Short mmCIF file of all heavy atoms in Angstrom, two decimals:
data_model
loop_
_atom_site.label_atom_id
_atom_site.label_comp_id
_atom_site.label_asym_id
_atom_site.label_seq_id
_atom_site.Cartn_x
_atom_site.Cartn_y
_atom_site.Cartn_z
N ASP A 1 -12.13 198.60 49.21
CA ASP A 1 -13.39 198.65 49.96
C ASP A 1 -14.39 199.48 49.16
O ASP A 1 -14.49 200.69 49.33
CB ASP A 1 -13.15 199.29 51.34
CG ASP A 1 -14.38 199.22 52.23
OD1 ASP A 1 -15.46 198.85 51.73
OD2 ASP A 1 -14.27 199.54 53.43
N PRO A 2 -15.15 198.84 48.27
CA PRO A 2 -16.03 199.59 47.35
C PRO A 2 -17.19 200.29 48.04
O PRO A 2 -17.80 201.20 47.44
CB PRO A 2 -16.53 198.50 46.39
CG PRO A 2 -16.36 197.22 47.12
CD PRO A 2 -15.16 197.40 47.99
N GLU A 3 -17.52 199.91 49.28
CA GLU A 3 -18.63 200.55 49.98
C GLU A 3 -18.21 201.81 50.73
O GLU A 3 -19.05 202.60 51.17
CB GLU A 3 -19.25 199.56 50.98
CG GLU A 3 -19.78 198.29 50.34
CD GLU A 3 -20.87 198.58 49.31
OE1 GLU A 3 -21.71 199.46 49.58
OE2 GLU A 3 -20.84 197.95 48.24
N ARG A 4 -16.92 202.03 50.85
CA ARG A 4 -16.42 203.16 51.63
C ARG A 4 -16.62 204.47 50.87
O ARG A 4 -16.39 204.53 49.66
CB ARG A 4 -14.94 202.95 51.90
CG ARG A 4 -14.39 203.71 53.10
CD ARG A 4 -12.94 203.37 53.31
NE ARG A 4 -12.46 203.81 54.62
CZ ARG A 4 -11.19 203.85 54.98
NH1 ARG A 4 -10.26 203.45 54.13
NH2 ARG A 4 -10.85 204.27 56.19
N PRO A 5 -17.04 205.55 51.55
CA PRO A 5 -17.15 206.84 50.87
C PRO A 5 -15.80 207.28 50.30
O PRO A 5 -14.77 207.13 50.95
CB PRO A 5 -17.61 207.79 51.99
CG PRO A 5 -18.27 206.91 53.00
CD PRO A 5 -17.51 205.62 52.95
N ILE A 6 -15.81 207.81 49.10
CA ILE A 6 -14.57 208.18 48.43
C ILE A 6 -13.79 209.22 49.25
O ILE A 6 -12.56 209.20 49.29
CB ILE A 6 -14.85 208.69 46.99
CG1 ILE A 6 -13.57 208.99 46.24
CG2 ILE A 6 -15.78 209.89 47.00
CD1 ILE A 6 -12.70 207.78 45.98
N PHE A 7 -14.50 210.11 49.93
CA PHE A 7 -13.85 211.12 50.78
C PHE A 7 -13.00 210.46 51.84
O PHE A 7 -11.84 210.83 52.06
CB PHE A 7 -14.93 211.99 51.42
CG PHE A 7 -14.43 213.00 52.42
CD1 PHE A 7 -13.88 214.20 52.01
CD2 PHE A 7 -14.53 212.75 53.77
CE1 PHE A 7 -13.43 215.14 52.94
CE2 PHE A 7 -14.09 213.67 54.71
CZ PHE A 7 -13.53 214.87 54.29
N VAL A 8 -13.55 209.47 52.51
CA VAL A 8 -12.84 208.78 53.60
C VAL A 8 -11.68 207.95 53.04
O VAL A 8 -10.59 207.93 53.61
CB VAL A 8 -13.82 207.89 54.39
CG1 VAL A 8 -13.09 207.12 55.49
CG2 VAL A 8 -14.94 208.74 55.00
N ALA A 9 -11.90 207.29 51.92
CA ALA A 9 -10.87 206.44 51.33
C ALA A 9 -9.65 207.24 50.90
O ALA A 9 -8.51 206.79 51.06
CB ALA A 9 -11.44 205.67 50.14
N LEU A 10 -9.87 208.44 50.36
CA LEU A 10 -8.74 209.26 49.90
C LEU A 10 -7.98 209.88 51.06
O LEU A 10 -6.78 210.18 50.93
CB LEU A 10 -9.25 210.37 48.97
CG LEU A 10 -9.78 209.91 47.61
CD1 LEU A 10 -10.37 211.08 46.86
CD2 LEU A 10 -8.68 209.25 46.78
N LEU A 11 -8.63 210.08 52.19
CA LEU A 11 -7.96 210.64 53.36
C LEU A 11 -7.15 209.60 54.12
O LEU A 11 -6.27 209.95 54.91
CB LEU A 11 -8.99 211.25 54.32
CG LEU A 11 -9.50 212.64 53.99
CD1 LEU A 11 -10.60 213.04 54.97
CD2 LEU A 11 -8.37 213.66 54.03
N ASP A 12 -7.44 208.32 53.90
CA ASP A 12 -6.76 207.25 54.63
C ASP A 12 -5.32 207.13 54.16
O ASP A 12 -5.05 206.73 53.02
CB ASP A 12 -7.51 205.94 54.40
CG ASP A 12 -7.06 204.82 55.33
OD1 ASP A 12 -5.91 204.88 55.83
OD2 ASP A 12 -7.84 203.88 55.56
N GLN A 13 -4.38 207.48 55.04
CA GLN A 13 -2.96 207.47 54.67
C GLN A 13 -2.43 206.07 54.41
O GLN A 13 -1.36 205.91 53.83
CB GLN A 13 -2.13 208.15 55.75
CG GLN A 13 -2.54 209.59 56.04
CD GLN A 13 -2.41 210.48 54.81
OE1 GLN A 13 -1.31 210.72 54.31
NE2 GLN A 13 -3.54 211.00 54.32
N ARG A 14 -3.19 205.06 54.80
CA ARG A 14 -2.80 203.68 54.49
C ARG A 14 -3.04 203.37 53.01
O ARG A 14 -2.46 202.43 52.47
CB ARG A 14 -3.57 202.70 55.37
CG ARG A 14 -3.26 202.83 56.86
CD ARG A 14 -4.22 202.02 57.70
NE ARG A 14 -5.61 202.51 57.54
CZ ARG A 14 -6.65 202.03 58.20
NH1 ARG A 14 -6.49 201.02 59.05
NH2 ARG A 14 -7.86 202.54 58.01
N ASN A 15 -3.90 204.14 52.38
CA ASN A 15 -4.18 203.95 50.96
C ASN A 15 -3.20 204.73 50.08
O ASN A 15 -2.67 204.20 49.11
CB ASN A 15 -5.61 204.39 50.64
CG ASN A 15 -6.65 203.43 51.19
OD1 ASN A 15 -6.36 202.27 51.43
ND2 ASN A 15 -7.86 203.92 51.39
N LEU A 16 -2.99 205.97 50.42
CA LEU A 16 -2.04 206.83 49.72
C LEU A 16 -1.67 207.95 50.67
O LEU A 16 -2.49 208.42 51.45
CB LEU A 16 -2.60 207.37 48.40
CG LEU A 16 -3.80 208.31 48.40
CD1 LEU A 16 -3.96 208.90 47.00
CD2 LEU A 16 -5.09 207.62 48.79
N ALA A 17 -0.42 208.35 50.64
CA ALA A 17 0.11 209.26 51.66
C ALA A 17 0.32 210.66 51.09
O ALA A 17 1.04 210.83 50.10
CB ALA A 17 1.43 208.72 52.22
N GLY A 18 -0.32 211.64 51.73
CA GLY A 18 -0.07 213.02 51.35
C GLY A 18 -1.29 213.90 51.24
O GLY A 18 -1.20 215.11 51.41
N LEU A 19 -2.46 213.32 50.93
CA LEU A 19 -3.66 214.12 50.80
C LEU A 19 -4.28 214.38 52.16
O LEU A 19 -4.41 213.47 52.97
CB LEU A 19 -4.69 213.42 49.91
CG LEU A 19 -4.37 213.25 48.43
CD1 LEU A 19 -5.50 212.53 47.73
CD2 LEU A 19 -4.09 214.59 47.76
N GLY A 20 -4.68 215.63 52.40
CA GLY A 20 -5.39 216.00 53.62
C GLY A 20 -6.76 216.53 53.30
O GLY A 20 -7.23 216.47 52.16
N ASN A 21 -7.40 217.12 54.29
CA ASN A 21 -8.80 217.53 54.17
C ASN A 21 -9.02 218.56 53.07
O ASN A 21 -9.98 218.47 52.30
CB ASN A 21 -9.27 218.09 55.52
CG ASN A 21 -10.75 217.88 55.73
OD1 ASN A 21 -11.34 216.96 55.19
ND2 ASN A 21 -11.36 218.74 56.52
N GLU A 22 -8.14 219.55 53.00
CA GLU A 22 -8.32 220.60 51.98
C GLU A 22 -8.20 220.00 50.58
O GLU A 22 -9.04 220.26 49.71
CB GLU A 22 -7.28 221.71 52.17
CG GLU A 22 -7.44 222.84 51.18
CD GLU A 22 -6.50 224.00 51.44
OE1 GLU A 22 -5.74 223.95 52.43
OE2 GLU A 22 -6.53 224.96 50.65
N TYR A 23 -7.17 219.21 50.36
CA TYR A 23 -6.97 218.62 49.04
C TYR A 23 -8.12 217.71 48.63
O TYR A 23 -8.58 217.75 47.48
CB TYR A 23 -5.65 217.84 48.99
CG TYR A 23 -4.50 218.68 48.49
CD1 TYR A 23 -3.66 219.33 49.38
CD2 TYR A 23 -4.28 218.85 47.13
CE1 TYR A 23 -2.62 220.12 48.93
CE2 TYR A 23 -3.23 219.62 46.66
CZ TYR A 23 -2.41 220.27 47.56
OH TYR A 23 -1.38 221.05 47.11
N VAL A 24 -8.59 216.87 49.54
CA VAL A 24 -9.64 215.92 49.17
C VAL A 24 -10.94 216.65 48.85
O VAL A 24 -11.63 216.31 47.87
CB VAL A 24 -9.84 214.86 50.28
CG1 VAL A 24 -11.05 214.00 49.98
CG2 VAL A 24 -8.59 213.99 50.40
N ASN A 25 -11.29 217.65 49.63
CA ASN A 25 -12.50 218.42 49.32
C ASN A 25 -12.41 219.08 47.95
O ASN A 25 -13.35 219.03 47.16
CB ASN A 25 -12.74 219.48 50.40
CG ASN A 25 -13.48 218.94 51.60
OD1 ASN A 25 -14.67 218.65 51.54
ND2 ASN A 25 -12.77 218.78 52.71
N GLU A 26 -11.27 219.71 47.67
CA GLU A 26 -11.10 220.37 46.38
C GLU A 26 -11.04 219.37 45.24
O GLU A 26 -11.60 219.59 44.15
CB GLU A 26 -9.84 221.23 46.41
CG GLU A 26 -9.91 222.41 47.36
CD GLU A 26 -10.92 223.45 46.92
OE1 GLU A 26 -10.81 223.95 45.78
OE2 GLU A 26 -11.84 223.75 47.70
N LEU A 27 -10.37 218.24 45.47
CA LEU A 27 -10.25 217.21 44.44
C LEU A 27 -11.61 216.63 44.07
O LEU A 27 -11.91 216.40 42.89
CB LEU A 27 -9.33 216.10 44.96
CG LEU A 27 -9.18 214.85 44.09
CD1 LEU A 27 -8.65 215.20 42.71
CD2 LEU A 27 -8.25 213.85 44.78
N LEU A 28 -12.46 216.41 45.06
CA LEU A 28 -13.77 215.84 44.78
C LEU A 28 -14.66 216.83 44.03
O LEU A 28 -15.46 216.43 43.18
CB LEU A 28 -14.45 215.37 46.07
CG LEU A 28 -13.77 214.17 46.74
CD1 LEU A 28 -14.52 213.76 48.00
CD2 LEU A 28 -13.66 212.99 45.78
N PHE A 29 -14.51 218.11 44.32
CA PHE A 29 -15.25 219.10 43.52
C PHE A 29 -14.79 219.05 42.07
O PHE A 29 -15.60 219.01 41.14
CB PHE A 29 -15.07 220.51 44.09
CG PHE A 29 -15.70 221.57 43.22
CD1 PHE A 29 -17.06 221.84 43.34
CD2 PHE A 29 -14.97 222.25 42.26
CE1 PHE A 29 -17.67 222.78 42.51
CE2 PHE A 29 -15.56 223.19 41.43
CZ PHE A 29 -16.92 223.46 41.56
N LEU A 30 -13.48 219.09 41.86
CA LEU A 30 -12.94 219.07 40.50
C LEU A 30 -13.33 217.79 39.75
O LEU A 30 -13.43 217.80 38.52
CB LEU A 30 -11.42 219.22 40.54
CG LEU A 30 -10.91 220.59 40.97
CD1 LEU A 30 -9.41 220.54 41.24
CD2 LEU A 30 -11.22 221.64 39.91
N SER A 31 -13.56 216.72 40.50
CA SER A 31 -13.92 215.43 39.89
C SER A 31 -15.43 215.24 39.79
O SER A 31 -15.88 214.22 39.26
CB SER A 31 -13.31 214.28 40.71
OG SER A 31 -11.90 214.40 40.77
N GLY A 32 -16.21 216.19 40.31
CA GLY A 32 -17.67 216.11 40.23
C GLY A 32 -18.27 215.03 41.10
O GLY A 32 -19.35 214.50 40.79
N LEU A 33 -17.62 214.71 42.22
CA LEU A 33 -18.06 213.61 43.07
C LEU A 33 -18.50 214.12 44.44
O LEU A 33 -17.78 214.88 45.09
CB LEU A 33 -16.93 212.61 43.26
CG LEU A 33 -16.37 211.94 42.02
CD1 LEU A 33 -15.11 211.15 42.35
CD2 LEU A 33 -17.41 211.04 41.37
N LEU A 34 -19.66 213.66 44.91
CA LEU A 34 -20.05 213.93 46.27
C LEU A 34 -19.11 213.20 47.22
O LEU A 34 -18.69 212.08 46.93
CB LEU A 34 -21.49 213.45 46.52
CG LEU A 34 -22.63 214.36 46.04
CD1 LEU A 34 -23.95 213.64 46.23
CD2 LEU A 34 -22.61 215.70 46.76
N PRO A 35 -18.82 213.78 48.38
CA PRO A 35 -17.95 213.10 49.34
C PRO A 35 -18.48 211.75 49.77
O PRO A 35 -17.70 210.84 50.11
CB PRO A 35 -17.90 214.08 50.52
CG PRO A 35 -18.21 215.41 49.93
CD PRO A 35 -19.17 215.14 48.81
N THR A 36 -19.80 211.59 49.76
CA THR A 36 -20.42 210.34 50.22
C THR A 36 -20.49 209.27 49.14
O THR A 36 -20.92 208.14 49.42
CB THR A 36 -21.84 210.62 50.71
OG1 THR A 36 -22.56 211.35 49.69
CG2 THR A 36 -21.82 211.45 51.99
N ARG A 37 -20.08 209.57 47.92
CA ARG A 37 -20.16 208.58 46.82
C ARG A 37 -19.32 207.36 47.18
O ARG A 37 -18.12 207.49 47.45
CB ARG A 37 -19.64 209.20 45.52
CG ARG A 37 -19.54 208.22 44.34
CD ARG A 37 -20.82 208.09 43.58
NE ARG A 37 -21.07 209.25 42.75
CZ ARG A 37 -20.75 209.34 41.45
NH1 ARG A 37 -20.15 208.33 40.85
NH2 ARG A 37 -21.04 210.43 40.77
N PRO A 38 -19.89 206.16 47.18
CA PRO A 38 -19.09 204.96 47.46
C PRO A 38 -18.00 204.77 46.41
O PRO A 38 -18.21 205.06 45.22
CB PRO A 38 -20.13 203.83 47.38
CG PRO A 38 -21.44 204.49 47.63
CD PRO A 38 -21.33 205.85 47.02
N VAL A 39 -16.87 204.29 46.84
CA VAL A 39 -15.75 204.08 45.93
C VAL A 39 -16.16 203.24 44.73
O VAL A 39 -15.76 203.50 43.59
CB VAL A 39 -14.56 203.43 46.68
CG1 VAL A 39 -13.48 202.98 45.70
CG2 VAL A 39 -13.98 204.39 47.71
N GLY A 40 -16.98 202.21 44.97
CA GLY A 40 -17.39 201.31 43.90
C GLY A 40 -18.24 201.98 42.84
O GLY A 40 -18.42 201.41 41.76
N GLU A 41 -18.78 203.18 43.12
CA GLU A 41 -19.60 203.90 42.15
C GLU A 41 -18.83 205.02 41.47
O GLU A 41 -19.41 205.79 40.70
CB GLU A 41 -20.85 204.45 42.84
CG GLU A 41 -21.77 203.36 43.37
CD GLU A 41 -23.01 203.92 44.05
OE1 GLU A 41 -23.28 205.13 43.88
OE2 GLU A 41 -23.69 203.17 44.76
N VAL A 42 -17.54 205.13 41.77
CA VAL A 42 -16.70 206.13 41.09
C VAL A 42 -16.26 205.54 39.75
O VAL A 42 -15.63 204.47 39.71
CB VAL A 42 -15.47 206.48 41.96
CG1 VAL A 42 -14.53 207.42 41.19
CG2 VAL A 42 -15.92 207.11 43.27
N PRO A 43 -16.59 206.19 38.62
CA PRO A 43 -16.29 205.60 37.31
C PRO A 43 -14.82 205.29 37.06
O PRO A 43 -14.48 204.27 36.46
CB PRO A 43 -16.79 206.67 36.33
CG PRO A 43 -17.81 207.45 37.10
CD PRO A 43 -17.32 207.46 38.51
N ASP A 44 -13.93 206.16 37.52
CA ASP A 44 -12.51 205.98 37.24
C ASP A 44 -11.69 206.44 38.45
O ASP A 44 -11.28 207.60 38.53
CB ASP A 44 -12.11 206.76 35.99
CG ASP A 44 -10.73 206.39 35.45
OD1 ASP A 44 -9.93 205.82 36.23
OD2 ASP A 44 -10.46 206.68 34.26
N VAL A 45 -11.46 205.52 39.38
CA VAL A 45 -10.75 205.85 40.61
C VAL A 45 -9.33 206.31 40.31
O VAL A 45 -8.82 207.27 40.91
CB VAL A 45 -10.73 204.64 41.57
CG1 VAL A 45 -9.84 204.92 42.78
CG2 VAL A 45 -12.14 204.29 42.02
#
């Protein structure tokens, strides 16, 4: 779903199991990505 915000997509346990709110927030900072960035605009998912 390329239109979905990357924050929401990474939290969805149907996509991958184990990441929660703390991890996703920290991961997106380390990756330089705004939480609202659409998945389709992430250079290397």
Side-chain angles (χ1 to χ4, degrees):
D1 187 350
E3 301 300 319
R4 202 177 194 192
I6 184 64
F7 174 81
V8 178
L10 291 174
L11 280 175
D12 191 337
Q13 302 300 295
R14 296 170 297 183
N15 288 337
L16 65 169
L19 293 180
N21 209 26
E22 182 174 358
Y23 267 95
V24 172
N25 275 288
E26 293 293 303
L27 174 59
L28 292 181
F29 175 83
L30 290 169
S31 301
L33 300 171
L34 280 173
T36 52
R37 174 86 75 95
V39 170
E41 295 180 14
V42 175
D44 193 340
V45 173

